[in-house]
Amino acid sequence: MMALADITRDPLFIRLQPWTVFMFYAGTAFAITTHRIFDARQIVLVGLQKLILVVAVACAAYVFDWALRTFLPEPFGFIATTALVLGLAVTLNGWLDRMFHFYPEATAARQAAFAAAQGESHVNKLESAFVAVLKGWGHSETALVMSGVKGPLQGGGLDLPDDGAVMRAMLLLGWATPERLARERLTPDRQALQEFLDANGLGVLVMVEGPSLKALIGVGIAASRRPFTYPQVNQLQELASIIENALERAHFSVKAQRAEQLATVGLLGASLAHEIRNPLVSIKAFVQLLPNHYQDPVFRDKFFHLIGDEVMRIDRLTEQLLDLASPRVYSAQLIELNTVLNSTLELVVAKATDKQIQFITDFQAKPDRVHTDASAAKQVLLNLCFNAIQALEARGGERWVRLSTRNLPNQVEVTVEDSGPGIAPDIRPRLFQPFQSTKSSGFGLGLAICSDILTGLNATITVDPAVPGRGATFRITFPCQA
């Protein structure tokens, strides 16, 4: 418009210049908000990050220059200021990238993925953490993490059959972008994959397969709307390997917890059968006497009360057994710890009595409300109690297990102590690692699983140092608040 005004000298073109500028910016705003040429939110975040960086570096340069000129010659002050400002700019830029969850460098994204893998053990929480890392790496508003073990892949609210068209295409390609699919000959499977990418707004999708787990890792269209390059695909494949390893470990952890849960139920089976048999014998005896004493009101009254009490006892025991056997995802909530301890004792006291082992209780914690999962706490306490019973079985003399509680600042501590032989010094440092056992049978997973369960609930488990003549002492601390 300016060129036309210079050539023709027509004032009309001069008057049209503001309108042309206005139409240009209006069209740009329309494209940003409707046609997704740019991601407005991501552009604003990037601009804000750079603005903070520029302002901070400028202020630092002014302060450094003013301070250094007071005792250094001007050339040396300038060099020192430049060096300090450059170092500050590099450090601040990395800090801002982490604060805004931007990972422009593959190394930073890998470090963030490793940190997420080490910080979480639950599958759902891991997926959420990895989605945040992928969004930052790709400068995108969307990311997808789906995984499955010998079945459909799930994640992000989606369910994808492992033998469907999308998975068949990904098994063949390994990775896919809309640009790659557009260049290659479309087959029915690749057409389904293209529709999957479009429906979920993905700019790149990679598949990684482990020994037992398959995972699909996708990142949405970048803020710049540029297609993902092959080096970026390689970076995403590296991130996908980290994600797959962490998810596979989490799935194995869930399976191990389930196996330990069922093993505990198996140990309880014999003792609970004995506990259930006793009230049944009482009920049977009263039923046999009922025809001859039905007219006796004292007998009838005693009979009715006994039946109710004994049936409630059987119902309570079976309910606890079923609760222990049912698969669950542990979630913390406020519970009364003494109630959990008493129900745990009810399950193990029969086995202890059969082995002539005395259980001693000393519950001093008042109040005893803690923020944890009742089933998880019971699972851990049962494991420790059974370990103590097994350690005392072959031991002569006085045999006892003591459960005690006490209040700590914002915590309640549970102590499980026994009069057994204690723990060998060579095993103690790695006691809570997998495949470490003081028994001749079993795989040594019990205490490792207990530690994982408690860590997920912000609780801790420790063992006291060895003391000559004393058995093992385990301490569990439960938080009183979330």
Side-chain angles (χ1 to χ4, degrees), residues 107-183:
T107 302
R110 285 195 295 269
Q111 290 173 349
F114 277 124
Q118 294 171 355
E120 295 290 350
S121 58
H122 296 291
V123 175
N124 294 337
K125 292 182 179 180
L126 271 175
E127 289 180 355
S128 299
F130 287 136
V131 164
V133 172
L134 292 171
K135 287 180 180 179
W137 171 80
H139 282 210
S140 173
E141 285 293 302
T142 57
L144 181 67
V145 175
M146 301 183 69
S147 62
V149 180
K150 296 180 180 179
L153 276 70
Q154 296 177 330
L158 302 176
D159 198 329
L160 197 64
D162 64 337
D163 57 352
V166 173
M167 285 302 297
R168 287 198 300 268
M170 288 302 297
L171 284 169
L172 182 63
L173 296 174
W175 62 273
T177 62
E179 294 75 24
R180 181 183 185 184
L181 294 176
R183 289 194 304 267

Side-chain angles (χ1 to χ4, degrees), residues 207-267:
M207 194 198 79
V208 61
E209 190 171 5
S212 63
L213 181 137
K214 294 178 183 177
L216 284 179
I217 311 300
V219 178
I221 300 171
S224 63
R225 289 304 184 264
R226 294 177 180 175
F228 287 93
T229 62
Y230 187 68
Q232 288 177 309
V233 173
N234 285 335
Q235 292 176 13
L236 184 58
Q237 288 175 326
E238 293 177 3
L239 290 175
S241 296
I242 298 171
I243 293 171
E244 183 273 329
N245 287 331
L247 291 175
E248 192 155 28
R249 184 203 65 197
H251 280 285
F252 277 132
S253 178
V254 171
K255 288 182 179 180
Q257 289 183 19
R258 177 66 177 153
E260 186 69 18
Q261 191 178 10
L262 294 177
T264 302
V265 172
L267 288 172

Side-chain angles (χ1 to χ4, degrees), residues 49-312:
Q49 179 199 14
K50 300 307 178 186
L51 178 63
I52 294 173
L53 180 63
V54 169
V55 171
V57 169
C59 293
Y62 177 80
V63 173
F64 289 154
D65 184 63
W66 175 82
L68 293 174
R69 282 190 179 187
T70 58
F71 58 88
L72 287 177
E74 185 172 342
F76 293 105
F78 175 77
I79 294 172
T81 299
T82 303
L84 290 172
V85 167
L86 287 176
L88 175 66
V90 171
T91 304
L92 184 60
N93 188 57
W95 181 80
L96 288 172
D97 280 341
R98 291 190 295 273
M99 188 180 74
F100 284 90
H101 301 292
F102 295 156
Y103 304 108
E105 300 295 335
T107 302
R110 285 195 295 269
Q111 290 173 349
F114 277 124
Q118 294 171 355
E120 295 290 350
S121 58
H122 296 291
V123 175
N124 294 337
K125 292 182 179 180
L126 271 175
E127 289 180 355
S128 299
F130 287 136
V131 164
V133 172
L134 292 171
K135 287 180 180 179
W137 171 80
H139 282 210
S140 173
E141 285 293 302
T142 57
L144 181 67
V145 175
M146 301 183 69
S147 62
V149 180
K150 296 180 180 179
L153 276 70
Q154 296 177 330
L158 302 176
D159 198 329
L160 197 64
D162 64 337
D163 57 352
V166 173
M167 285 302 297
R168 287 198 300 268
M170 288 302 297
L171 284 169
L172 182 63
L173 296 174
W175 62 273
T177 62
E179 294 75 24
R180 181 183 185 184
L181 294 176
R183 289 194 304 267
E184 299 183 0
R185 182 175 60 86
L186 277 184
T187 63
D189 289 350
R190 294 185 183 183
Q191 180 65 39
L193 177 57
Q194 178 70 64
E195 294 172 357
F196 180 79
L197 294 178
D198 293 340
N200 294 282
L202 298 177
V204 60
L205 184 69
V206 302
M207 194 198 79
V208 61
E209 190 171 5
S212 63
L213 181 137
K214 294 178 183 177
L216 284 179
I217 311 300
V219 178
I221 300 171
S224 63
R225 289 304 184 264
R226 294 177 180 175
F228 287 93
T229 62
Y230 187 68
Q232 288 177 309
V233 173
N234 285 335
Q235 292 176 13
L236 184 58
Q237 288 175 326
E238 293 177 3
L239 290 175
S241 296
I242 298 171
I243 293 171
E244 183 273 329
N245 287 331
L247 291 175
E248 192 155 28
R249 184 203 65 197
H251 280 285
F252 277 132
S253 178
V254 171
K255 288 182 179 180
Q257 289 183 19
R258 177 66 177 153
E260 186 69 18
Q261 191 178 10
L262 294 177
T264 302
V265 172
L267 288 172
L268 284 171
S271 60
L272 281 185
H274 180 73
E275 283 291 294
I276 293 173
R277 182 174 178 271
N278 287 339
L280 288 176
V281 169
S282 301
I283 294 172
K284 179 181 177 181
F286 270 86
V287 168
Q288 290 173 342
L289 294 171
L290 183 61
N292 298 327
H293 298 83
Y294 182 75
Q295 301 301 326
D296 185 351
V298 177
F299 178 86
R300 288 202 311 270
D301 185 64
K302 186 176 181 180
F303 173 77
F304 290 142
H305 280 90
L306 180 135
I307 289 291
D309 292 342
E310 296 299 322
V311 168
M312 284 181 63

Side-chain angles (χ1 to χ4, degrees), residues 304-335:
F304 290 142
H305 280 90
L306 180 135
I307 289 291
D309 292 342
E310 296 299 322
V311 168
M312 284 181 63
R313 184 181 177 193
I314 293 172
D315 181 66
R316 187 171 62 252
L317 291 171
T318 53
E319 184 179 352
Q320 290 192 57
L321 189 63
L322 290 172
D323 183 65
L324 280 172
S326 62
R328 63 176 64 248
V329 176
Y330 297 128
S331 60
Q333 55 186 326
L334 281 176
I335 64 167

